[in-house]
Each structure stands twice: as structure tokens, then as C-alpha cells.
């Protein structure tokens, strides 16, 4: 039994939904039919992959971190997936009971609790109803999209990804999501191409999601792209790959040999290098300043907007000028962080609102270029973008206790006040983008002693200074 390549990732259910479904199955509640399609020697799941996966996970005691999962991901399961798997296991064991406990009740009925024994004895009589799709692969695919846009709709991004699954940007996105491990959507390529896909995908994944994000926020060492294991991760990666390769501006054909997938991955790496890496071209944009709200929530719309801004900077040769006014830009971004959320609320997250947010940021930079007083920028932005609200700072807690968002906000405000800054541009500097620069250059006789070293961004060190 397999999932067809037009199926979505089986990762949309949280621990509560998984436990609830398993309990419903054990209690004999009405479960919607599993819809299958036969093709040659294989049976494909058209609808019901989450339901089957929940039961398989329960029976095997493997929610993403067990032996089966470890083997599937080449024993490279990331910490976030491990954490979610362990939380799910604990929750299911508490709310339902492990499958092993049900089997133990059957083997030792005299030692089992009566209610557990009664449920365990029913397991052999429980079943899932099946329905079959007949016809071609096209008919099966049409059935999948028809079913999954009704009761449990698929997002627009998921639909686009699934329909483009054989195109290079879709395969690149899948590879990045799982850091080059897991199911190989690219297994039709030559072994050499497969190895290159996996190497590039792993590098991008590490640059996006390392270090691991935890809440409430208690460190400025935040990952560039938020959590690496959530329902929002695949859409974010998909949008990143498309923006990095200008997919909206070109017609893209299916990739038959993998060379286009490699090209798309390399273009994505080139963009990522500009953000938060130690590559010589890296500006070292601090995620806490550019891509997280004042409450520590990741903001994909801001990430998309800055991708486009950086691409524009590249075309205009604007990086040196950005470096010169960077300290002011970051001061304004921190002062008016709530504007990012207001734009997102009005126009939508990710690709829906990034162009409008880019326009706000560009206007902000223009005003800094024109020496507008930083304290007046908010008022001036309000004149241009009337929907912006200088008084609305977002949802405020009314509880006497600090919630996670408030704790994160308190930490970020305090930590940014004393954070490390680049000694050349005075912009904030992130763990992943630290280089040590010679104050007196080696060419001028400077030597490698501590008194002649300073912490800088890679671009400031290797390009701007020279």
C-alpha cells in the first residue's frame, strides 16, 4: 500500500486529533471510508492517509521517532520532529493507552482493568470501510482533488505543489523540507544527481532551520525560517523556491533528468546566502529584527518581502548603500514591528501580502535615504498607507499571568538592547553570520591577535570594508 505522488504530506494532524481518531476507532464510532485505487501490484491511498497513518503509528508505537521512522529518514530525524513525536506518544498513551497495553490486557486478562480488557477484546472485530476508485491515474488524481477540496480542504499552496509535483521547484521544495531524506520524489534521476539534490537540500534546510526554535523565546539565536517541522513549513519552502527562481515570471516544464531541480536548488542557496550564513555575500540579517514579531512569532510575509528586496538590491548594486544606512533601517523596523502584522492581516500571509509589505519597507528605506527623522517615519507611512494604525500594537493580554507571547516579547525587548552588533555597520549580528575581521588589514601589516580582531557581518568584512 502506497501514497500516490499527488497526495499531500501526512503531517496536518496534531496530537489531539490523532488521539481522538484512535479513540473513535476503538469505540466503534462511524469512520469515513478509506478510498483506494489499484494500479498493477500496488494499492494507492486516495483518501484516508492521515487515518491509516494514525492507526499504523499507534500499532507500531512510532509517531515519527521510532525504528520505522528512523530508517525512513536515514537516522537523521531532526530534533523538532523528535519532540513532536514524543509529545504525541505521551498524549496518546495518556488519553487512549498504548497498543502494547491493549495486547498485554489480552495476554493477562486477570491483571487488566475491566474497561481496558473490554476494549482490547473488541479490537479483532473492528474494521475500516473501503471504497475503490476505478480507472486511470488521471481519474484517481481527479478524485483526490475533488474529495480533498470539500470536507478537509487543501490550501492553495498545497494544490499548486501537488499539481506541479514533477516540476523542479516542487521536487526541490520536497527535498528541502526533509533535508534530503525521507521519501525520494527524485528517485528517477541518476544516482549522481540524486546525491547532489540531497546534499544541496540538506544545506538549505540547515541554513533555514538551525538553530532550533523553541517557545517562549529565550534566545536571540533564532532560525531564519521559523520551525522546521510544522504545517506551515512546506508552503514557506515552496514559496521560497519559487521566489528565488522567479517561477511566476516563467513557464516551467517537468524535470526529467534532475538538472533543473539542481539549478533551482542552487538559485535558492544563492538567495539564502545573502541572509543568515557565513558566505562572503551574507548580509547577516538578524531574524529577530527582520522576520519575527515583537512577540517572537515568525512572520513568513516579512521573509518573502525581504527576498524580493534583496533581489532588487542585487540588481541595483545597492548593498554598500544598505550597509551605510543599515543601523537606521533596523532601528525603524524594531520601532514599527507591529506594521508588519497589520499589512499581513489586511492582505494575507506569505505570497498573498508580501508585495504590499515590500512596498511599505521600500517607502521606509526611501525616507531614511531622504533623512526623515526616525521618530516621524511612522506618521509619514500612515499618510501613504492609510490602513496602518499607530495606536494598534496588536492583541494585549488581560491576564495577571504572563503568557508565552508576553514572555517572548519581554525577553526580545531586553535582549535586543544589549545584543552584539557588527563593528563596521553597527547592525545586529546573528550567531550564524559571525566573522572575525582584522581591524588593521593583513595587507597593511595587521596580525591575528585579539586586540586586532572585531566581530562583523561577512559582507561588511569581505566586500564593504575592502
Amino acid at each position: 500500500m502506497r501514497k500516490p505522488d499527488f497526495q499531500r504530506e501526512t503531517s496536518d494532524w496534531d496530537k489531539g486529533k490523532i488521539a481522538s481518531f484512535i479513540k473513535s476507532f476503538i469505540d466503534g464510532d462511524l469512520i469515513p471510508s478509506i478510498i483506494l485505487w489499484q494500479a498493477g501490484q500496488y494499492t494507492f491511498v486516495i483518501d484516508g492517509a492521515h487515518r491509516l497513518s494514525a492507526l499504523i503509528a499507534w500499532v507500531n508505537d512510532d509517531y515519527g521517532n521510532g525504528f520505522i521512522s528512523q530508517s525512513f529518514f536515514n537516522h537523521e530525524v531532526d530534533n523538532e520532529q523528535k519532540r513532536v513525536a514524543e509529545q504525541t506518544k505521551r498524549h496518546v498513551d495518556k488519553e487512549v493507552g498504548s497498543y502494547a497495553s491493549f495486547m498485554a490486557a489480552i495476554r493477562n486478562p486477570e491483571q487488566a482493568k475491566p474497561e481496558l480488557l473490554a476494549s482490547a477484546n473488541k479490537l479483532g472485530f473492528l474494521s475500516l470501510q473501503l471504497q475503490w476508485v476505478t480507472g486511470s491515474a488521471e481519474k484517481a488524481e481527479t478524485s483526490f482533488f475533488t474529495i480533498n477540496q470539500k470536507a478537509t480542504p487543501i490550501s492553495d499552496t498545497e494544490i499548486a505543489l501537488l499539481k506541479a509535483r514533477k516540476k523542479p521547484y516542487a521536487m526541490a521544495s520536497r527535498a528541502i523540507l526533509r533535508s534530503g531524506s525521507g521519501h525520494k520524489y527524485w528517485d528517477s534521476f541518476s544516482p549522481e544527481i540524486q546525491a547532489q539534490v540531497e546534499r544541496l537540500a540538506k544545506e538549505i534546510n540547515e541554513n533555514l532551520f538551525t538553530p532550533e526554535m523553541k517557545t517562549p523565546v529565550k534566545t536571540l539565536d533564532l532560525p531564519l525560517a521559523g520551525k522546521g517541522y510544522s504545517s506551515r513549513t512546506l508552503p514557506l519552502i515552496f514559496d521560497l523556491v519559487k521566489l528565488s527562481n522567479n517561477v511566476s515570471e516563467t513557464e516551467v516544464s517537468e524535470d526529467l533528468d534532475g538538472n533543473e531541480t539542481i539549478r533551482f536548488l542552487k538559485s535558492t542557496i544563492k538567495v539564502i546566502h545573502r541572509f543568515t550564513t557565513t558566505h562572503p555575500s551574507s548580509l547577516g540579517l538578524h531574524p529577530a529584527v527582520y522576520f519575527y514579531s515583537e512577540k517572537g512569532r515568525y512572520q513568513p510575509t516579512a521573509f518573502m518581502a525581504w527576498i524580493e528586496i534583496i533581489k532588487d538590491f542585487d540588481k541595483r548594486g545597492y548593498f554598500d548603500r544598505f550597509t551605510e544606512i543599515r543601523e537606521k533601517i533596523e532601528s525603524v523596523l524594531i520601532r514599527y514591528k507591529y506594521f508588519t502584522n497589520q499589512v499581513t492581516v489586511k492582505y494575507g500571509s506569505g505570497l498573498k501580502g508580501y508585495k504590499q509589505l515590500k512596498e511599505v519597507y521600500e517607502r521606509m528605506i526611501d525616507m531614511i535615504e531622504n533623512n526623515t527623522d526616525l521618530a516621524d517615519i511612522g506618521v509619514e507611512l500612515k499618510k501613504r498607507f492609510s490602513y496602518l494604525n499607530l495606536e494598534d500594537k496588536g492583541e494585549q493580554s488581560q491576564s495577571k499571568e504572563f503568557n508565552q507571547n508576553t514572555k517572548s516579547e519581554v525577553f526580545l525587548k531586553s535582549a535586543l538592547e544589549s545584543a552584539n552588533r557588527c563593528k563596521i555597520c553597527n547592525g545586529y549580528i546573528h550567531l550564524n553570520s559571525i566573522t572575525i575581521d582584522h581591524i588593521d588589514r593583513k595587507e597593511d601589516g595587521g596580525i591575528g591577535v585579539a586586540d586586532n580582531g572585531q566581530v562583523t557581518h561577512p559582507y561588511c568584512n569581505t566586500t564593504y570594508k575592502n
Side-chain angles (χ1 to χ4, degrees):
M1 185 176 291
R2 298 187 172 192
K3 284 175 57 177
D5 62 0
F6 51 76
Q7 256 278 22
R8 70 171 96 181
E9 294 280 330
T10 313
S11 59
D12 285 345
W13 283 15
D14 61 17
K15 62 184 181 183
K17 197 162 187 178
I18 291 170
S20 177
F21 171 75
I22 295 170
K23 188 174 188 308
S24 293
F25 174 76
I26 294 170
D27 291 344
D29 294 345
L30 180 64
I31 305 293
S33 296
I34 306 295
I35 301 179
L36 307 174
W37 170 59
Q38 188 78 35
Q41 62 179 316
Y42 299 117
T43 299
F44 293 92
V45 182
I46 302 301
D47 186 58
H50 282 82
R51 281 163 271 160
L52 287 174
S53 294
L55 292 176
I56 291 169
W58 182 57
V59 169
N60 290 290
D61 199 29
D62 183 352
Y63 298 92
N65 189 30
F67 178 79
I68 297 172
S69 295
Q70 289 285 357
S71 298
F72 185 68
F73 290 107
N74 300 322
H75 298 276
E76 294 184 354
V77 174
D78 61 56
N79 290 331
E80 180 67 13
Q81 182 170 326
K82 290 177 183 177
R83 184 184 64 80
V84 172
E86 290 164 1
Q87 284 184 347
T88 304
K89 172 180 165 53
R90 288 195 298 269
H91 185 74
V92 172
D93 288 352
K94 177 183 177 183
E95 298 298 323
V96 181
S98 68
Y99 180 77
S101 69
F102 280 69
M103 294 300 98
I106 292 173
R107 290 192 299 270
N108 303 291
E110 66 283 351
Q111 298 176 15
K113 293 181 179 180
E115 61 273 17
L116 177 61
L117 180 61
S119 294
N121 284 328
K122 290 192 301 181
L123 284 180
F125 300 96
L126 298 175
S127 63
L128 294 169
Q129 298 299 310
L130 302 180
Q131 291 184 10
W132 294 85
V133 172
T134 58
S136 64
E138 289 75 17
K139 174 68 179 301
E141 182 174 346
T142 300
S143 298
F144 168 78
F145 283 110
T146 299
I147 293 165
N148 284 280
Q149 291 180 69
K150 291 182 179 177
T152 308
I154 311 177
S155 70
D156 292 342
T157 300
E158 286 181 297
I159 292 173
L161 175 65
L162 293 170
K163 289 187 174 180
R165 62 190 177 276
K166 295 182 180 178
K167 296 188 176 183
Y169 56 90
M171 282 191 277
S173 300
R174 298 275 195 188
I176 294 168
L177 177 71
R178 297 304 183 196
S179 197
S181 63
H183 179 71
K184 295 187 177 183
Y185 293 89
W186 51 93
D187 63 359
S188 63
F189 303 154
S190 70
E192 294 78 12
I193 292 291
Q194 288 186 46
Q196 198 170 357
V197 166
E198 290 160 16
R199 178 182 62 78
L200 293 170
K202 184 175 183 179
E203 179 183 346
I204 296 171
N205 183 283
E206 289 176 352
N207 286 331
L208 291 174
F209 302 114
T210 303
E212 180 184 350
M213 183 181 178
K214 297 179 180 179
T215 52
V217 174
K218 296 180 180 179
T219 176
L220 288 180
D221 298 332
L222 298 170
L224 174 60
K227 291 188 175 182
Y229 190 77
S230 74
S231 60
R232 297 171 57 185
T233 307
L234 180 57
L236 181 140
I237 292 172
F238 187 50
D239 293 343
L240 163 65
V241 173
K242 288 195 297 180
L243 284 179
S244 299
N245 290 273
N246 300 314
V247 168
S248 61
E249 302 173 12
T250 58
E251 182 64 32
V252 181
S253 301
E254 293 184 356
D255 189 7
L256 301 179
D257 59 13
N259 285 312
E260 280 298 286
T261 299
I262 295 294
R263 185 176 69 82
F264 272 63
L265 286 167
K266 287 182 175 180
S267 295
T268 305
I269 284 179
K270 184 178 179 181
V271 170
I272 293 301
H273 278 165
R274 283 288 187 189
F275 281 79
T276 311
T277 68
T278 54
H279 189 272
S281 67
S282 175
L283 300 171
L285 303 184
H286 199 300
V289 175
Y290 290 85
F291 314 123
Y292 286 80
S293 74
E294 69 277 12
K295 300 182 187 302
R297 293 177 179 170
Y298 184 68
Q299 297 179 309
T301 315
F303 184 43
M304 301 299 156
W306 276 101
I307 289 174
E308 288 298 286
I309 291 171
I310 293 300
K311 286 162 60 179
D312 288 349
F313 284 179
D314 200 7
K315 292 176 184 176
R316 294 163 47 200
Y318 190 76
F319 291 123
D320 282 0
R321 181 56 183 155
F322 169 75
T323 300
E324 292 165 0
I325 62 173
R326 175 172 180 160
E327 181 182 3
K328 292 181 179 180
I329 290 173
E330 294 183 351
S331 176
V332 174
L333 286 173
I334 292 171
R335 183 190 290 249
Y336 300 108
K337 267 188 174 292
Y338 50 90
F339 280 173
T340 298
N341 188 58
Q342 290 178 19
V343 175
T344 301
V345 169
K346 181 172 177 61
Y347 292 103
S349 181
L351 290 186
K352 292 179 181 178
Y354 82 100
K355 289 183 179 179
Q356 289 82 0
L357 184 56
K358 174 176 179 274
E359 189 179 355
V360 171
Y361 288 157
E362 287 176 332
R363 179 59 180 158
M364 186 185 293
I365 294 170
D366 287 343
M367 285 190 284
I368 292 171
E369 280 275 30
N370 293 324
N371 296 314
T372 303
D373 191 294
L374 301 190
D376 296 332
I377 285 180
V379 174
E380 295 301 318
L381 284 173
K382 169 71 175 174
K383 292 177 182 178
R384 177 74 174 268
F385 307 99
S386 60
Y387 59 87
L388 295 178
N389 188 336
L390 289 164
E391 305 302 324
D392 183 6
K393 304 295 177 66
E395 182 181 347
Q396 300 295 317
S397 174
Q398 301 301 315
S399 171
K400 292 183 178 180
E401 302 298 326
F402 292 121
N403 59 30
Q404 285 201 346
N405 288 338
T406 305
K407 289 178 181 179
S408 297
E409 184 174 5
V410 170
F411 172 81
L412 287 171
K413 182 179 179 181
S414 174
L416 284 172
E417 290 175 355
S418 58
N420 285 331
R421 290 176 178 264
C422 172
K423 298 304 181 183
I424 293 176
C425 74
N426 208 37
Y428 288 94
I429 198 160
H430 183 260
L431 169 75
N432 290 356
S433 299
I434 294 174
T435 60
I436 305 300
D437 171 51
H438 285 74
I439 298 173
D440 294 325
R441 299 188 308 172
K442 288 185 285 186
E443 295 89 335
D444 300 328
I447 59 175
V449 295
D451 287 344
N452 192 41
Q454 59 183 357
V455 175
T456 63
H457 297 121
Y459 180 84
C460 295
N461 182 354
T462 63
T463 305
Y464 179 75
K465 180 179 178 180
N466 297 325

